[in-house]
């Protein structure tokens, strides 16, 4: 989320409307929350352990966040020719950060109410 906030400053400095950034962030949060609420959780309440399914999608979203950073860096090094890349990088970062944050929030909200599964083996 800190990366998206830095990109917010870039976005505001480019004199573009703030609602574009906010829309990308809200869309990312909604998608992430939906994904977090549909994940199958296995929670061991006795030992406070949780098992999640493989996070292939989250890894790709994290790579999207890295791609947004690389677009911003590459666009600034390219000068005026890189302006189109620099204009989309903040929205990509906002959407990706929103997805990761929304997923984490949904899992945190579901954690305590999930049924107990014995994950501790001696």
């Amino acid at each position: 989320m800190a990366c998206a906030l830095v990109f917010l400053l870039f976005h505001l400095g480019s004199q573009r409307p703030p609602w574009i950034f906010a829309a990308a962030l809200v869309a990312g949060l909604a998608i992430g929350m939906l994904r977090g609420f549909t994940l199958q959780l296995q929670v061991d309440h006795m030992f406070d352990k949780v098992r999640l399914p493989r996070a292939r999608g989250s890894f790709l979203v994290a790579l999207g966040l890295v791609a947004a950073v690389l677009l911003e860096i590459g666009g600034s090094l390219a000068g005026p020719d890189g302006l189109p890349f620099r204009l989309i990088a903040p929205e990509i970062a906002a959407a990706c950060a929103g997805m990761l944050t929304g997923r984490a929030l949904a899992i945190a909200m579901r954690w305590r109410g999930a049924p107990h599964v014995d994950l501790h083996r001696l």
Side-chain angles (χ1 to χ4, degrees):
M1 200 54 128
C3 183
L5 293 176
V6 170
F7 272 105
L8 173 63
L9 297 175
F10 292 157
H11 180 80
L12 293 176
S14 68
Q15 303 300 320
R16 296 186 61 208
W19 67 267
I20 297 172
F21 186 87
L25 183 63
V26 168
L29 280 170
I31 292 169
M33 293 281 279
L34 181 66
R35 178 64 181 143
F37 279 119
T38 58
L39 283 176
Q40 180 183 359
L41 295 179
Q42 294 180 344
V43 181
D44 188 338
H45 293 284
M46 184 178 289
F47 292 99
D48 283 333
K49 291 184 179 185
V50 65
R51 182 179 297 150
L52 299 170
R54 292 195 183 267
R56 289 183 208 109
S58 297
F59 179 71
L60 294 176
V61 171
L63 285 180
L65 192 57
V66 171
V69 171
L70 293 176
L71 279 173
E72 178 64 32
I73 291 170
S76 65
L77 290 176
D81 294 333
L83 186 62
F85 299 112
R86 294 186 74 195
L87 290 178
I88 62 168
E91 287 78 18
I92 293 171
C96 291
M99 284 183 221
L100 292 172
T101 304
R103 180 179 181 264
L105 288 173
I107 290 170
M109 287 191 294
R110 290 182 53 209
W111 181 311
R112 293 293 171 203
H116 176 78
V117 177
D118 188 21
L119 297 176
H120 183 74
R121 294 189 180 102
L122 297 175

